[in-house]
């Protein structure tokens, strides 16, 4: 199993190799993609990338939490959380690629 | 927003690029993330989130209809954790 961590740099390098734009422009395009996805999610939109997966925003109700160390009760405000549901294709590829 | 809408937004902002190149760019990004996870690698996109692979141990499952026991093999599943910046933005911070 791999133990590398890829970053934006690796994604822009892949774009650079694939399309032959400058490294700088490739990096800007990677950033633009992440920015558009983030903006849509912040607007409460779902982001559905076919054969990759779906990002959705869920509303969580307020609840009483507890500090696990002190046992003290703390109110948790209502909040919005992001969930990612991988596509079947991604699940299959990740399962197959990591099978030993 | 779906993939084609994302491609269109990037194309509109970059009139000097061919539409088909914008498609290749967007597809490459997602393809690269999936490939990394298929190798067992992590992809960390600061501010946005991190994609990683989690191992699920083998277990004895049950067919919910028949109640029959079935052996489920160990498997690896994709996992996404939202980045701090995006999490804060979702909550208006």
């Amino acid at each position: 199993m791999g133990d590398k961590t890829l970053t934006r740099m690796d994604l822009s390098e892949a774009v650079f190799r694939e399309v032959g734009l400058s490294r700088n422009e490739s990096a800007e395009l990677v950033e633009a993609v992440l920015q558009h996805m983030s903006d849509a999610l912040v607007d409460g939109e779902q982001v559905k990338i076919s054969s990759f997966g779906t990002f959705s925003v869920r509303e969580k109700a307020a609840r009483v939490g507890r500090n696990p160390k002190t046992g003290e009760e703390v109110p948790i405000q209502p909040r919005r959380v992001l969930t990612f549901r991988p596509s079947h294709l991604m699940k299959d590829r990740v399962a197959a690629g990591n099978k030993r | 927003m779906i993939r084609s809408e994302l491609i269109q937004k990037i194309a509109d902002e970059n009139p000097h690029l061919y539409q088909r190149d914008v498609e290749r760019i967007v597809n490459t990004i997602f393809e690269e993330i999936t490939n990394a996870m298929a190798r067992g690698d992590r992809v960390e996109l600061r501010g946005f989130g991190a994609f990683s692979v989690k191992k699920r141990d083998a277990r004895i499952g049950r067919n919910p209809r028949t109640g029959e026991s079935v052996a489920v093999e160990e498997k690896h599943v994709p996992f996404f954790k939202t980045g701090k910046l995006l999490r804060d933005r979702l909550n208006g911070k």
Side-chain angles (χ1 to χ4, degrees):
Chain A
M1 180 148 155
D3 47 14
K4 265 179 58 185
T5 298
L6 277 71
T7 64
R8 278 174 170 75
M9 231 179 21
D10 299 283
L11 299 186
S12 35
E13 186 65 25
V15 169
F16 168 77
R17 282 196 311 264
E18 177 74 20
V19 191
L21 302 168
S22 72
R23 282 204 159 77
N24 208 5
E25 194 171 9
S26 303
E28 282 170 15
L29 286 159
V30 169
E31 205 49 55
V33 165
L34 297 177
Q35 198 59 53
H36 282 301
M37 291 172 71
S38 304
D39 290 349
L41 292 164
V42 170
D43 287 346
E45 263 186 78
Q46 205 180 48
V47 175
K48 211 168 177 166
I49 308 295
S50 53
S51 76
F52 184 81
T54 303
F55 298 88
S56 343
V57 179
R58 286 177 40 200
E59 308 276 342
K60 294 272 213 174
R63 63 183 173 90
V64 180
R66 205 177 275 277
N67 179 327
K69 204 169 295 181
T70 63
E72 197 185 345
E73 285 189 354
V74 269
I76 296 178
Q77 300 302 316
R79 66 210 157 98
R80 294 203 297 169
V81 296
L82 178 57
T83 57
F84 173 67
R85 191 162 180 265
S87 71
H88 270 290
L89 186 82
M90 180 192 279
K91 281 196 208 167
D92 288 349
R93 289 190 52 197
V94 169
N98 290 282
K99 204 164 189 171
R100 40 167 195 184
Chain B
M1 182 165 76
I2 59 174
R3 188 193 286 258
S4 58
E5 290 165 339
L6 177 59
I7 290 168
Q8 195 53 53
K9 280 181 197 284
I10 305 286
D12 290 346
E13 285 172 351
N14 295 275
H16 62 292
L17 297 179
Y18 290 114
Q19 174 93 15
R20 62 155 202 276
D21 281 343
V22 176
E23 276 171 32
R24 280 168 67 199
I25 290 161
V26 171
N27 294 344
T28 298
I29 293 170
F30 293 117
E31 188 63 18
E32 202 63 18
I33 296 172
T34 307
N35 287 343
M37 284 193 282
R39 293 191 302 265
D41 290 340
R42 269 170 66 83
V43 182
E44 200 175 307
L45 305 167
R46 280 288 164 91
F48 183 79
F51 295 91
S52 59
V53 179
K54 288 206 168 179
K55 184 179 148 209
R56 298 273 178 259
D57 286 329
R59 62 188 172 84
I60 304 297
R62 214 170 264 282
N63 180 328
R65 194 165 320 184
T66 63
E68 202 182 346
S69 291
V70 271
V72 181
E73 277 183 52
E74 166 193 303
K75 66 176 172 185
H76 291 83
V77 296
F79 181 76
F80 176 77
K81 181 169 191 276
T82 313
K84 188 177 185 324
L85 186 76
L86 181 52
R87 201 179 337 129
D88 287 349
R89 276 191 70 199
L90 284 168
N91 292 288
K93 282 184 217 160

